[in-house]
Amino acid sequence: MMNVSPSRPARRAELLAAGAAAVTVVLWASAFVSIRSAGDAYSPGALALGRLLAGALTLGVICLLRRETWPPRSAWRGIAISGVLWFGFYMVALNWGEQQVDAGTAALVVNTGPILIALLGSRLLGDPMPPRLLAGMGVSFAGAVTVGLSMSGEGGSSVLGVVLCLLAAIAYAGGVVAQKPALGTASPLQVTTFGCLVGAVVCLPFAGQLVQEAARAPASATLNMVYLGVFPTALAFTTWAYALSRTTASRMGATTYAAPALVVLMSWLFLGEVPGLLTLAGGVLCLAGVAVSRSRARSGGAKAPGAAGEPSPERAPDSAR
């Protein structure tokens, strides 16, 4: 009975973090549909810059309304690294790489990102790697590759495309791991806003392309680019940071494996692409792997501080992107 009261705040925080992670995954999955449209009219660098500018403007307005202060000096290293790697380099490399390879190859290479996050998180952040997390990631990775292969057309794969997708996965992993310590002293909104600004500065060399392409792009493509900036960038990266501040980088990385299953559903609903049995099976594997990776081992004894899913004293500063 004595443990009931203290567990309620922890349970509420866990549910809020799970809800924020769900919002992130749904919006990142929705980006697939918008990128398909905007990518026909905008080149990779211009699309990344336009998306980041829309996201930075949205986040800036929110910061002004909330009277958010400047991030503390201790958080700037993580913000700058994640801004360069994840908001900047990753978006350009991924946009470019996915134009060079088919969906199956992209799924195989890009979805190594969560695995790299787990490895880097364990090495640099001391994240635990329980068997359930590793097993769940393995199942989800197999599902993601199955979805990609089943949805592939007759497109080929170039060495350049594979390299770009691999670099995107590495940048994604490095950005997430760099972002985690910054959330110990800065708010999720601060980390996301200034990371997005750093990414926009990195992409400024594409400003000329953006202006030229925006002048002749159809309104639907431009609206999709703005949508990418407001929702999958401004909102989803903020909810991601909020959830990341309350759990490990490894577990958050594993959660993103739900995105391929949602992409299948959204492609069916919005693009009329009816999934086959292999695609559906891959989606089920993705969701099953996420469920396994986020589950906790049952134990008859008391849990030690810092057990999976429970906040530890050492993580207390993080639970306050």
Side-chain angles (χ1 to χ4, degrees):
M1 294 295 293
M2 293 181 62
N3 291 330
V4 173
S5 180
S7 67
R8 286 180 179 173
R11 179 60 178 166
R12 182 174 179 273
E14 185 177 337
L15 290 174
L16 287 173
V23 170
T24 297
V25 172
V26 169
L27 289 176
W28 283 353
S30 76
F32 172 82
V33 178
S34 293
I35 289 174
R36 288 275 295 272
S37 174
D40 292 335
Y42 289 96
S43 58
L47 178 58
L49 177 59
R51 175 179 178 175
L52 288 167
L53 289 176
L57 179 61
T58 303
L59 290 165
V61 171
I62 296 173
C63 283
L64 289 175
L65 293 175
R66 291 178 55 87
R67 297 182 180 179
E68 202 66 52
T69 60
W70 195 262
R73 182 184 299 180
S74 58
W76 265 105
R77 181 185 179 191
I79 291 173
I81 294 174
S82 66
V84 171
L85 292 180
W86 195 9
F87 288 87
F89 183 84
Y90 166 81
M91 290 192 182
V92 176
L94 184 62
N95 290 344
W96 189 5
E98 289 194 349
Q99 292 181 354
Q100 305 291 319
V101 300
D102 60 39
T105 303
L108 176 62
V109 180
V110 174
N111 279 294
T112 60
I115 297 174
L116 295 174
I117 290 173
L119 294 174
L120 288 174
S122 176
R123 176 71 176 177
L124 301 177
L125 303 177
D127 285 355
M129 296 183 68
R132 283 173 179 260
L133 174 62
L134 296 175
M137 293 182 71
V139 172
S140 289
F141 180 70
V145 174
T146 301
V147 169
L149 291 173
S150 67
M151 296 179 72
S152 294
E154 297 180 356
S157 298
S158 69
V159 174
L160 174 62
V162 172
V163 170
L164 287 169
C165 287
L166 180 58
L167 290 175
I170 294 172
Y172 162 46
V176 171
V177 173
Q179 192 182 61
K180 174 65 176 176
L183 290 164
T185 55
S187 72
L189 184 56
Q190 288 174 326
V191 171
T192 305
T193 300
F194 289 92
C196 189
L197 283 171
V198 170
V201 170
V202 170
C203 292
L204 280 178
F206 301 106
Q209 291 182 6
L210 177 60
V211 172
Q212 293 176 1
E213 292 169 8
R216 59 176 182 267
S220 60
T222 302
L223 288 174
N224 274 291
M225 181 175 66
V226 173
Y227 170 84
L228 287 169
V230 175
F231 293 98
T233 302
L235 179 56
F237 273 80
T238 302
T239 52
W240 163 277
Y242 176 87
L244 179 61
S245 69
R246 287 157 171 79
T247 187
T248 65
S250 303
R251 180 169 287 193
M252 278 300 294
T255 303
T256 62
Y257 274 128
L262 294 174
V263 167
V264 172
L265 177 60
M266 292 179 182
S267 297
W268 187 1
L269 294 175
F270 300 111
L271 300 178
E273 299 177 352
V274 180
L277 291 178
L278 187 60
T279 305
L280 291 173
V284 171
L285 280 176
C286 289
L287 295 176
V290 172
V292 171
S293 67
R294 294 192 66 87
S295 64
R296 290 178 287 183
R298 298 184 180 277
S299 175
K303 290 182 180 179
E310 298 248 352
S312 67
E314 291 78 11
R315 291 189 210 154
D318 291 334
S319 58
R321 105 236 213 182

Coordinates of all heavy atoms in Angstrom, one line a residue, residues 184-249:
G184 N 18.7 17.7 -20.3 CA 18.9 17.7 -18.9 C 18.8 19.1 -18.3 O 18.5 19.3 -17.1
T185 N 19.1 20.1 -19.1 CA 19.2 21.5 -18.6 C 18.3 22.4 -19.4 O 18.0 23.5 -18.9 CB 20.6 22.0 -18.6 OG1 21.1 21.9 -20.0 CG2 21.5 21.3 -17.7
A186 N 17.9 22.0 -20.6 CA 17.0 22.9 -21.4 C 15.7 22.2 -21.6 O 15.6 21.0 -21.6 CB 17.7 23.2 -22.8
S187 N 14.6 23.0 -21.9 CA 13.3 22.4 -22.1 C 13.2 21.8 -23.5 O 14.0 22.1 -24.4 CB 12.3 23.5 -22.0 OG 12.3 24.4 -23.1
P188 N 12.2 20.9 -23.7 CA 12.1 20.3 -25.0 C 11.8 21.3 -26.1 O 12.3 21.2 -27.2 CB 10.8 19.4 -24.8 CG 10.8 19.0 -23.4 CD 11.4 20.2 -22.7
L189 N 11.1 22.4 -25.8 CA 10.8 23.4 -26.8 C 12.1 24.2 -27.1 O 12.3 24.5 -28.3 CB 9.7 24.4 -26.2 CG 9.3 25.5 -27.2 CD1 8.8 24.9 -28.5 CD2 8.2 26.4 -26.5
Q190 N 12.9 24.5 -26.1 CA 14.2 25.2 -26.4 C 15.1 24.3 -27.3 O 15.6 24.8 -28.3 CB 14.9 25.5 -25.1 CG 14.3 26.6 -24.3 CD 15.0 26.7 -22.9 OE1 15.4 25.7 -22.3 NE2 15.1 27.9 -22.4
V191 N 15.2 23.1 -27.0 CA 16.1 22.2 -27.7 C 15.6 22.0 -29.2 O 16.4 22.1 -30.1 CB 16.2 20.8 -27.0 CG1 16.9 19.8 -27.9 CG2 16.9 20.9 -25.7
T192 N 14.3 21.9 -29.3 CA 13.8 21.7 -30.7 C 13.9 23.0 -31.5 O 14.3 23.0 -32.7 CB 12.3 21.3 -30.6 OG1 12.2 20.1 -29.8 CG2 11.8 21.0 -32.0
T193 N 13.5 24.1 -30.9 CA 13.5 25.4 -31.6 C 14.9 25.8 -32.1 O 15.1 26.1 -33.3 CB 13.0 26.5 -30.7 OG1 11.6 26.2 -30.3 CG2 13.0 27.9 -31.4
F194 N 15.9 25.7 -31.2 CA 17.2 26.2 -31.6 C 17.9 25.1 -32.4 O 18.8 25.5 -33.3 CB 18.0 26.6 -30.4 CG 17.5 27.9 -29.8 CD1 16.6 27.9 -28.8 CD2 18.0 29.1 -30.2 CE1 16.1 29.1 -28.2 CE2 17.6 30.3 -29.7 CZ 16.6 30.3 -28.7
G195 N 17.6 23.8 -32.3 CA 18.1 22.8 -33.2 C 17.6 23.0 -34.6 O 18.4 22.9 -35.5
C196 N 16.3 23.4 -34.7 CA 15.8 23.7 -36.0 C 16.4 24.9 -36.7 O 16.7 24.9 -37.9 CB 14.2 23.8 -35.9 SG 13.3 24.0 -37.4
L197 N 16.7 25.9 -35.9 CA 17.3 27.1 -36.4 C 18.8 26.8 -36.9 O 19.2 27.3 -37.9 CB 17.4 28.2 -35.3 CG 16.1 28.9 -35.0 CD1 16.3 29.8 -33.8 CD2 15.7 29.8 -36.2
V198 N 19.5 26.0 -36.1 CA 20.8 25.6 -36.5 C 20.7 24.8 -37.9 O 21.5 25.0 -38.8 CB 21.5 24.7 -35.5 CG1 22.8 24.1 -36.0 CG2 21.8 25.5 -34.2
G199 N 19.8 23.9 -38.0 CA 19.6 23.1 -39.2 C 19.3 24.0 -40.4 O 19.8 23.8 -41.5
A200 N 18.4 25.1 -40.2 CA 18.1 26.0 -41.2 C 19.3 26.8 -41.7 O 19.5 27.0 -42.9 CB 17.0 27.0 -40.8
V201 N 20.2 27.2 -40.8 CA 21.4 27.9 -41.1 C 22.3 27.0 -42.0 O 22.9 27.4 -42.9 CB 22.2 28.3 -39.8 CG1 23.5 28.9 -40.2 CG2 21.3 29.4 -39.1
V202 N 22.4 25.7 -41.6 CA 23.2 24.7 -42.3 C 22.7 24.6 -43.8 O 23.5 24.4 -44.7 CB 23.2 23.3 -41.6 CG1 23.8 22.3 -42.5 CG2 23.9 23.4 -40.3
C203 N 21.4 24.7 -43.9 CA 20.8 24.5 -45.3 C 20.7 25.8 -46.1 O 20.2 25.8 -47.2 CB 19.4 23.9 -45.1 SG 19.5 22.2 -44.5
L204 N 21.2 26.9 -45.5 CA 21.1 28.2 -46.3 C 21.7 28.2 -47.7 O 21.3 29.0 -48.5 CB 21.7 29.3 -45.4 CG 20.8 29.9 -44.3 CD1 21.5 31.0 -43.5 CD2 19.4 30.4 -44.9
P205 N 22.8 27.4 -47.9 CA 23.3 27.4 -49.3 C 22.3 27.0 -50.3 O 22.5 27.2 -51.5 CB 24.4 26.3 -49.2 CG 24.9 26.4 -47.8 CD 23.6 26.7 -47.0
F206 N 21.2 26.4 -49.9 CA 20.1 26.0 -50.9 C 19.1 27.0 -51.1 O 18.0 26.8 -51.7 CB 19.5 24.7 -50.4 CG 20.4 23.5 -50.3 CD1 20.8 23.1 -49.0 CD2 21.0 22.9 -51.4 CE1 21.7 22.0 -48.9 CE2 21.9 21.8 -51.3 CZ 22.2 21.4 -50.0
A207 N 19.3 28.2 -50.5 CA 18.3 29.3 -50.5 C 17.9 29.7 -52.0 O 16.8 29.9 -52.3 CB 18.7 30.5 -49.7
G208 N 19.0 29.8 -52.8 CA 18.7 30.2 -54.2 C 17.8 29.1 -54.9 O 16.9 29.5 -55.7
Q209 N 18.1 27.9 -54.7 CA 17.3 26.8 -55.3 C 15.8 26.9 -54.8 O 14.9 26.7 -55.6 CB 17.8 25.4 -55.0 CG 19.1 25.1 -55.7 CD 19.6 23.7 -55.3 OE1 18.9 22.9 -54.7 NE2 20.8 23.4 -55.8
L210 N 15.7 27.2 -53.5 CA 14.3 27.2 -52.9 C 13.5 28.4 -53.6 O 12.3 28.2 -53.9 CB 14.4 27.5 -51.4 CG 13.1 27.6 -50.7 CD1 12.2 26.4 -50.8 CD2 13.4 27.9 -49.2
V211 N 14.1 29.5 -53.7 CA 13.4 30.7 -54.3 C 13.0 30.3 -55.8 O 11.9 30.6 -56.2 CB 14.3 31.9 -54.3 CG1 13.7 33.1 -55.1 CG2 14.5 32.4 -52.8
Q212 N 13.9 29.8 -56.6 CA 13.6 29.5 -58.0 C 12.6 28.4 -58.1 O 11.6 28.5 -58.9 CB 14.9 29.0 -58.7 CG 16.0 30.1 -58.8 CD 17.3 29.5 -59.4 OE1 17.4 28.3 -59.7 NE2 18.3 30.4 -59.5
E213 N 12.6 27.4 -57.3 CA 11.7 26.3 -57.4 C 10.3 26.6 -56.8 O 9.3 26.2 -57.3 CB 12.3 25.0 -56.7 CG 13.5 24.5 -57.4 CD 14.2 23.4 -56.6 OE1 13.7 23.0 -55.5 OE2 15.3 23.0 -57.0
A214 N 10.3 27.5 -55.8 CA 9.0 27.9 -55.2 C 8.2 28.8 -56.2 O 7.0 28.8 -56.2 CB 9.3 28.7 -54.0
A215 N 9.0 29.5 -57.1 CA 8.3 30.3 -58.1 C 7.5 29.5 -59.1 O 6.5 30.0 -59.7 CB 9.3 31.2 -58.8
R216 N 8.0 28.3 -59.4 CA 7.3 27.5 -60.4 C 6.6 26.2 -59.9 O 6.0 25.5 -60.6 CB 8.3 27.1 -61.5 CG 9.5 26.3 -61.1 CD 10.3 25.9 -62.2 NE 11.5 25.1 -61.8 CZ 12.7 25.5 -61.6 NH1 12.9 26.8 -61.6 NH2 13.6 24.7 -61.2
A217 N 6.7 26.0 -58.6 CA 6.1 24.8 -58.0 C 4.6 25.0 -57.9 O 4.1 26.1 -57.6 CB 6.7 24.6 -56.6
P218 N 3.9 23.9 -58.0 CA 2.4 24.0 -57.8 C 2.1 24.2 -56.3 O 2.9 23.9 -55.5 CB 1.9 22.6 -58.2 CG 3.1 21.7 -58.1 CD 4.3 22.5 -58.4
A219 N 0.9 24.8 -56.1 CA 0.6 25.2 -54.7 C 0.5 24.0 -53.8 O 0.9 24.1 -52.6 CB -0.8 25.9 -54.7
S220 N 0.1 22.9 -54.3 CA 0.0 21.7 -53.5 C 1.3 21.2 -53.0 O 1.5 20.8 -51.8 CB -0.6 20.5 -54.3 OG 0.2 20.2 -55.5
A221 N 2.4 21.3 -53.8 CA 3.7 20.9 -53.4 C 4.2 21.9 -52.3 O 4.8 21.5 -51.3 CB 4.7 20.9 -54.6
T222 N 4.0 23.2 -52.5 CA 4.4 24.2 -51.5 C 3.7 24.0 -50.2 O 4.3 24.1 -49.1 CB 4.2 25.6 -52.0 OG1 5.0 25.8 -53.2 CG2 4.7 26.6 -51.0
L223 N 2.4 23.7 -50.3 CA 1.6 23.5 -49.0 C 2.1 22.2 -48.3 O 2.1 22.2 -47.1 CB 0.1 23.4 -49.4 CG -0.6 24.7 -49.8 CD1 -2.0 24.4 -50.2 CD2 -0.6 25.6 -48.6
N224 N 2.5 21.2 -49.1 CA 3.0 20.0 -48.4 C 4.3 20.3 -47.8 O 4.6 19.8 -46.7 CB 3.2 18.9 -49.5 CG 1.9 18.1 -49.7 OD1 1.5 17.4 -48.8 ND2 1.3 18.2 -50.8
M225 N 5.1 21.2 -48.3 CA 6.4 21.5 -47.7 C 6.2 22.3 -46.4 O 6.8 22.1 -45.4 CB 7.2 22.4 -48.7 CG 8.6 22.8 -48.1 SD 9.6 23.7 -49.3 CE 8.6 25.2 -49.6
V226 N 5.2 23.2 -46.4 CA 4.8 23.9 -45.2 C 4.3 23.0 -44.2 O 4.6 23.1 -43.0 CB 3.8 25.0 -45.5 CG1 3.3 25.7 -44.2 CG2 4.4 26.1 -46.5
Y227 N 3.5 22.0 -44.6 CA 2.9 21.0 -43.6 C 4.1 20.3 -43.0 O 4.1 20.0 -41.8 CB 2.0 20.0 -44.4 CG 1.7 18.8 -43.5 CD1 0.6 18.9 -42.6 CD2 2.4 17.6 -43.6 CE1 0.3 17.8 -41.8 CE2 2.1 16.5 -42.8 CZ 1.0 16.6 -41.9 OH 0.7 15.6 -41.1
L228 N 5.1 19.9 -43.8 CA 6.3 19.2 -43.2 C 7.0 20.0 -42.2 O 7.4 19.5 -41.2 CB 7.2 18.9 -44.4 CG 6.8 17.8 -45.3 CD1 7.8 17.7 -46.6 CD2 6.8 16.4 -44.7
G229 N 7.0 21.3 -42.4 CA 7.7 22.2 -41.4 C 6.9 22.4 -40.1 O 7.4 22.3 -39.0
V230 N 5.6 22.5 -40.3 CA 4.7 22.8 -39.1 C 4.5 21.6 -38.2 O 4.6 21.6 -37.0 CB 3.4 23.5 -39.5 CG1 2.5 23.7 -38.3 CG2 3.6 24.8 -40.2
F231 N 4.1 20.5 -38.9 CA 3.7 19.3 -38.1 C 4.8 18.2 -37.9 O 5.2 18.0 -36.8 CB 2.4 18.7 -38.7 CG 1.2 19.6 -38.6 CD1 0.9 20.4 -39.7 CD2 0.5 19.7 -37.4 CE1 -0.2 21.3 -39.5 CE2 -0.6 20.5 -37.3 CZ -0.9 21.3 -38.4
P232 N 5.3 17.6 -39.0 CA 6.3 16.6 -38.7 C 7.7 17.2 -38.2 O 8.5 16.4 -37.7 CB 6.6 16.0 -40.1 CG 5.3 16.2 -40.8 CD 4.8 17.5 -40.4
T233 N 7.9 18.5 -38.3 CA 9.1 19.1 -37.8 C 8.8 19.8 -36.5 O 9.3 19.4 -35.4 CB 9.7 20.1 -38.8 OG1 10.0 19.4 -40.0 CG2 11.0 20.6 -38.3
A234 N 8.1 20.9 -36.5 CA 7.9 21.7 -35.3 C 7.2 20.9 -34.2 O 7.7 20.9 -33.1 CB 7.1 23.0 -35.6
L235 N 6.1 20.4 -34.5 CA 5.3 19.7 -33.5 C 5.9 18.3 -33.1 O 6.1 18.0 -32.0 CB 3.8 19.5 -33.9 CG 2.9 18.7 -33.0 CD1 2.9 19.4 -31.6 CD2 1.5 18.6 -33.5
A236 N 6.2 17.5 -34.1 CA 6.7 16.1 -33.9 C 8.1 16.1 -33.2 O 8.3 15.3 -32.4 CB 6.7 15.3 -35.2
F237 N 9.0 17.0 -33.6 CA 10.3 17.0 -33.0 C 10.2 17.5 -31.5 O 11.0 17.1 -30.7 CB 11.2 17.9 -33.8 CG 12.0 17.2 -34.9 CD1 11.3 17.0 -36.1 CD2 13.3 16.7 -34.7 CE1 12.0 16.3 -37.1 CE2 13.9 16.1 -35.8 CZ 13.3 15.8 -37.0
T238 N 9.2 18.4 -31.3 CA 9.0 18.8 -29.9 C 8.5 17.7 -29.0 O 8.9 17.5 -27.9 CB 8.1 20.0 -29.8 OG1 8.6 21.1 -30.6 CG2 7.9 20.5 -28.4
T239 N 7.4 17.0 -29.5 CA 6.9 15.8 -28.7 C 8.0 14.7 -28.6 O 8.0 14.0 -27.6 CB 5.6 15.3 -29.4 OG1 5.9 15.0 -30.8 CG2 4.5 16.3 -29.3
W240 N 8.8 14.6 -29.6 CA 9.9 13.6 -29.5 C 10.8 14.0 -28.4 O 11.2 13.2 -27.5 CB 10.7 13.6 -30.8 CG 12.1 12.9 -30.7 CD1 13.2 13.6 -30.3 CD2 12.4 11.6 -31.0 NE1 14.2 12.7 -30.3 CE2 13.8 11.4 -30.7 CE3 11.7 10.5 -31.4 CZ2 14.4 10.2 -30.8 CZ3 12.4 9.3 -31.6 CH2 13.7 9.1 -31.3
A241 N 11.2 15.3 -28.3 CA 12.1 15.8 -27.3 C 11.5 15.6 -25.9 O 12.2 15.2 -24.9 CB 12.5 17.2 -27.5
Y242 N 10.2 15.9 -25.8 CA 9.5 15.7 -24.5 C 9.6 14.2 -24.1 O 9.9 13.9 -22.9 CB 8.0 16.1 -24.7 CG 7.2 15.9 -23.5 CD1 7.1 16.8 -22.5 CD2 6.5 14.7 -23.3 CE1 6.3 16.6 -21.3 CE2 5.7 14.4 -22.2 CZ 5.6 15.4 -21.2 OH 4.8 15.2 -20.1
A243 N 9.3 13.3 -25.0 CA 9.3 11.9 -24.6 C 10.8 11.4 -24.4 O 11.0 10.7 -23.4 CB 8.7 11.0 -25.8
L244 N 11.7 11.9 -25.1 CA 13.1 11.5 -24.9 C 13.7 12.0 -23.6 O 14.5 11.3 -23.0 CB 14.0 12.1 -26.1 CG 15.5 11.8 -26.0 CD1 15.8 10.3 -26.1 CD2 16.2 12.5 -27.1
S245 N 13.2 13.1 -23.1 CA 13.6 13.6 -21.8 C 13.1 12.7 -20.7 O 13.6 12.9 -19.5 CB 13.1 15.1 -21.6 OG 11.7 15.1 -21.4
R246 N 12.2 11.8 -21.0 CA 11.7 11.0 -19.9 C 12.0 9.5 -20.1 O 11.4 8.6 -19.4 CB 10.1 11.2 -19.9 CG 9.8 12.5 -19.3 CD 8.4 13.0 -19.7 NE 8.0 14.2 -18.9 CZ 8.5 15.4 -19.2 NH1 9.3 15.6 -20.2 NH2 8.1 16.4 -18.4
T247 N 12.8 9.2 -21.0 CA 13.2 7.8 -21.2 C 14.6 7.7 -21.9 O 15.2 8.8 -22.0 CB 12.2 7.0 -22.1 OG1 12.5 5.6 -22.1 CG2 12.2 7.6 -23.5
T248 N 15.0 6.5 -22.3 CA 16.4 6.4 -22.8 C 16.3 6.6 -24.3 O 15.3 6.4 -25.0 CB 17.0 5.0 -22.6 OG1 16.2 4.0 -23.2 CG2 17.0 4.7 -21.1
A249 N 17.5 7.0 -24.9 CA 17.5 7.2 -26.4 C 17.3 5.9 -27.1 O 16.7 5.8 -28.2 CB 18.9 7.8 -26.8

